[in-house]
Each structure stands twice: as C-alpha cells, then as structure tokens.
Amino acid sequence: MQARHYSSSRWLPRVQARSKVKSRLICLPYAGGSAAVFNNWPTHLPATIDIYPIQLPGRCSRFNEPPFTQLAPLLAALAEAIAPYLDIPIAFFGHSMGALICFELAHTLQSAELRQPLHLFVSGHQAPRLEVKEALHTLPDAELIVALAQLNGTPTELLEDRQLMALMLPTLRADLSVCETYHYIDRAPLDCPVTAFGGVQDIRVGYRELEMWGKETRGPFSLHSLPGDHFFLRTYEALLLQIMAHYLYPLVREVA
C-alpha cells in the first residue's frame, strides 16, 4: 500500500516530516483538544518514528465542520483516513476520549484484518468495559463549566470568557457524547501490547480503573502512574514521552 505524503490534510496534519521513518505514532487528543496537543512530541521520541496527530472535526482548521457525537461513524471515517498510512508499522496513543477511540480503532483494524498497531498507549481513561460514571455532555452550560474547572484542563480566563466558551462548548459536548454514549462489546482481546497511563491526582480515573485495561489484550500489559491530575500529559509531557520511548525503541529495532 503506497502512503500519500500530504504536507497537511484534514485528518492528519503533519507535525514534522522525518527522513528514514520506520514507524508511525498516530495520536488522538482528549475531548475538546486538537492536533496541536502533540506539537512538541517529535523532539522527545526516536527520529525514526513519525508523529501523526489526528485533527478531529469541529476545531482549529476544521472548526466549520460538524463534530461527531457517536463513536461508530467517527471510527469509520478514521479508519478510511489512516488506511493510506498503514504501509509501515504503526502505534496508537490516545488521551481520555482519544484513548477510547484508539482502542476501538485498533479493534476495527483487527476485525478488517488490516495492519494492527505494534503498541497501544491509553492515557487518562478508565478501561472501556467499565460503565460511564456520569453524563457531562447533558449538563447545563454553567454546570459543565464547573466540571471543566475541576479537571484543571482549561485556563480560568477561558472558562470565564462567555463568548469563547459559547464557541467551544458545542464541540466539547459532542466529544463528551462520543465517550458517554459508548457501549462496550465483549470480544476477543487485542493482540498488541497495551500500556496505560494515569495521573496520581486525577479525580475521574483511578488506578483500579486503569488496571482493568489489562483485560483488553493477549499481549503484555503495563501501567504507569504519573504525577499530576487528569491533564498530566501536558504538565509532565517529557516524563510521559520518556516512558513511551522505552517501549517504542525496541519496536523500531524490530522493524528495521
């Protein structure tokens, strides 16, 4: 399969083109997040790994496109978008909403007998077999903003800006709906290794909820608790990527 090397695309804007690439890390952001979350990642990971952040509809360059509210159609569109990039080995990383999408996307590839990820990194999201605790996407605006403040992922000045929040909340609600209307399907576990990450101070996702990710793979499972709250991937980005590199370096050697 020949990859189409776009300088940018709707789904896969390139952060940095690298030479001698041996594998690709496809990254999905948290609810309300964009591909820009991963702007600094190429400087922390092996030069032989290309970073492919996913840009979902409803934000940044795709602001005028309606965001998805259900997982199934989002998965179908994503599988089509990444198909040209499966010509070399891949790995997936997803944080919060992104973790759930990556997990189901890996199953989609496995079911279609397409190239599966060499490694699945899931971050800041409870194991998919566990029931959703609450439905944030149905909260009134004021209550949703309070919930966002508790997660400590949105700057206070932004939360207090009514005009900006009026623009952001529809996309954020849609993203939350993707997660909160999700229904787990009991099926054969994934073949690839799974590594889970969580923040020690995360008020939404605890260690035991992360530990259950181990049931989703036939391969090795590992779990790392990092300092910080739900958005530890921003405050402890370097540490997160140092740990990920530990798993990715051997994969790069294996496919050399």
Side-chain angles (χ1 to χ4, degrees):
M1 183 183 296
Q2 181 64 39
R4 287 175 269 166
H5 295 289
Y6 301 119
S7 59
S8 63
S9 72
R10 290 189 309 159
W11 288 96
L12 289 147
R14 296 289 297 276
V15 170
Q16 177 181 337
R18 302 188 186 208
S19 60
K20 299 181 180 179
V21 169
K22 296 177 181 177
S23 61
R24 298 187 174 103
L25 178 64
I26 295 175
C27 304
L28 280 125
Y30 44 83
S34 72
V37 170
F38 308 104
N39 277 353
N40 296 327
W41 283 36
T43 62
H44 294 278
L45 292 174
T48 47
I49 299 175
D50 222 349
I51 315 301
Y52 277 60
I54 297 292
Q55 189 75 284
L56 296 171
R59 67 217 73 204
C60 297
S61 60
R62 305 187 69 182
F63 182 78
N64 291 327
E65 298 179 50
F68 287 88
T69 60
Q70 299 290 321
L71 185 57
L74 173 55
L75 286 173
L78 265 176
E80 181 180 356
I82 70 169
Y85 301 92
L86 301 179
D87 57 321
I88 62 175
I90 58 170
F92 288 161
F93 172 89
H95 183 76
S96 198
M97 172 188 71
L100 183 62
I101 297 173
C102 281
F103 167 70
E104 286 294 337
L105 187 56
H107 268 292
T108 298
L109 297 182
Q110 182 166 289
S111 298
E113 298 184 349
L114 296 173
R115 185 190 292 274
Q116 299 168 45
L118 292 174
H119 206 110
L120 174 62
F121 297 99
V122 291
S123 172
H125 195 286
Q126 67 179 26
R129 64 180 59 226
L130 300 176
E131 291 186 10
V132 176
K133 297 177 182 178
E134 55 186 330
L136 297 181
H137 77 280
T138 62
L139 291 176
D141 287 356
E143 293 180 33
L144 179 55
I145 290 172
V146 170
L148 294 175
Q150 292 174 343
L151 289 175
N152 201 30
T154 309
T156 301
E157 58 270 23
L158 179 55
L159 291 172
E160 293 176 350
D161 189 320
R162 293 185 178 182
Q163 289 184 327
L164 282 177
M165 290 307 297
L167 291 174
M168 291 181 58
L169 283 179
T171 295
L172 184 57
R173 284 188 187 280
D175 288 354
L176 291 171
S177 176
V178 166
C179 299
E180 294 169 356
T181 60
Y182 169 76
H183 297 287
Y184 178 77
I185 300 172
D186 194 6
R187 64 207 136 173
L190 295 169
D191 293 324
C192 64
V194 173
T195 297
F197 296 98
V200 175
Q201 286 85 40
D202 191 338
I203 61 173
R204 288 181 59 82
V205 186
Y207 187 90
R208 293 186 182 277
E209 295 160 318
L210 292 164
E211 199 173 31
M212 293 290 287
W213 276 103
K215 295 184 178 295
E216 304 302 334
T217 178
R218 295 189 184 98
F221 172 72
S222 52
L223 172 56
H224 297 269
S225 294
L226 276 63
D229 53 27
H230 187 67
F231 287 95
F232 63 87
L233 87 162
R234 295 194 311 207
T235 52
Y236 290 90
E237 178 181 75
L239 177 57
L240 170 66
L241 292 171
Q242 179 183 353
I243 297 171
M244 288 178 61
H246 169 76
Y247 293 101
L248 289 170
Y249 273 119
L251 297 180
V252 171
R253 289 198 296 268
E254 288 173 12
V255 301

